[in-house]
Amino acid sequence: MNTKMSFKDFSEKFDIEGIISVTHAYAYGSYMVTIKGISDEFHLTESAVKNCIKYAIIHCIVSYQTALVIKQKAHCKQANHIKSNSNQTPSDKYYDRILEQRLEFVSKIRDDEILEIITYFLASINNLSINEITETIGYSEKELKVLLKNAINYKLVDAEVAAKIGCTSFMQAA
């Protein structure tokens, strides 16, 4: 009998690309796609599928927008089974915690990715809306503000770039 892989085994064998594939299969599959279905498709335990999704969201391997798609899909699936009048499902609370962990992760990013984001942000701020910018870079507006502030606070950019960031209306509204 062919046993299903754990998250650890899967991530070691297929790395980030595998985690992205699993997460996107759930997020962008039809409404009928389930964790069990993804588990069968990828020969993973159901726990491994959930861990792929959680890991991908927290570590910004998938975009913030993808995380919201996943949260909404889980909400809709659970809302059909809840008899109370509550608008919030257990999955909403679960994904809110994951998104908080993602924001904590974002606040610790100190690598060249910030410089790429800043370059794109400064080149686009006069031509695109903040929503268009965040959609393109895959972070939320709040996450973008954290990244920009950290670039300044940790001196990842020179004084001239820091001044340009600080002068944008986006950062003044922060």
Side-chain angles (χ1 to χ4, degrees):
M1 181 168 179
N2 200 359
T3 59
K4 293 185 175 185
M5 281 188 276
S6 68
F7 172 73
K8 181 180 184 288
D9 292 340
F10 181 78
S11 64
E12 286 174 359
K13 185 173 182 178
F14 295 103
D15 204 29
I16 299 302
E17 289 79 21
I19 294 170
I20 292 169
S21 295
V22 168
T23 305
H24 280 180
Y26 180 73
Y28 299 111
S30 75
Y31 178 78
M32 301 306 291
V33 169
T34 62
I35 297 293
K36 181 169 183 353
I38 299 298
S39 164
D40 292 342
E41 179 182 343
F42 286 88
H43 305 289
L44 295 169
T45 64
E46 289 183 35
S47 175
V49 172
K50 292 174 186 175
N51 283 327
C52 283
I53 293 168
K54 181 178 178 180
Y55 185 90
I57 293 171
I58 291 172
H59 293 94
C60 303
I61 295 168
V62 295
S63 71
Y64 181 78
Q65 294 77 12
T66 297
L68 293 181
V69 167
I70 292 167
K71 180 181 177 186
Q72 183 61 35
K73 184 178 243 182
H75 171 86
C76 290
K77 287 177 179 257
Q78 283 191 352
N80 289 333
H81 303 288
I82 294 178
K83 294 184 180 15
S84 71
N85 291 333
S86 173
N87 288 335
Q88 193 169 44
T89 65
S91 68
D92 291 335
K93 294 172 188 172
Y94 173 76
Y95 284 105
D96 286 345
R97 285 191 304 274
I98 288 175
L99 290 170
E100 286 173 19
Q101 292 173 359
R102 178 186 168 101
L103 187 59
E104 289 172 22
F105 178 84
V106 167
S107 70
K108 296 174 186 168
I109 296 174
R110 307 270 189 279
D111 60 16
D112 290 340
E113 184 178 355
I114 288 181
L115 300 178
E116 290 175 29
I117 290 168
I118 289 168
T119 301
Y120 180 77
F121 173 76
L122 291 175
S124 304
I125 194 66
N126 293 324
N127 302 319
L128 300 174
S129 71
I130 291 302
N131 286 342
E132 291 170 317
I133 292 171
T134 57
E135 183 86 22
T136 301
I137 63 171
Y139 290 98
S140 70
E141 188 174 314
K142 189 174 187 178
E143 291 167 346
L144 176 58
K145 286 179 183 180
V146 167
L147 291 169
L148 295 172
K149 284 180 183 180
N150 284 348
I152 295 168
N153 292 342
Y154 295 103
K155 301 187 185 327
L156 301 173
V157 294
D158 62 31
E160 182 181 341
V161 172
K164 286 180 185 175
I165 293 169
C167 287
T168 66
S169 60
F170 175 69
M171 289 303 289
Q172 292 169 359

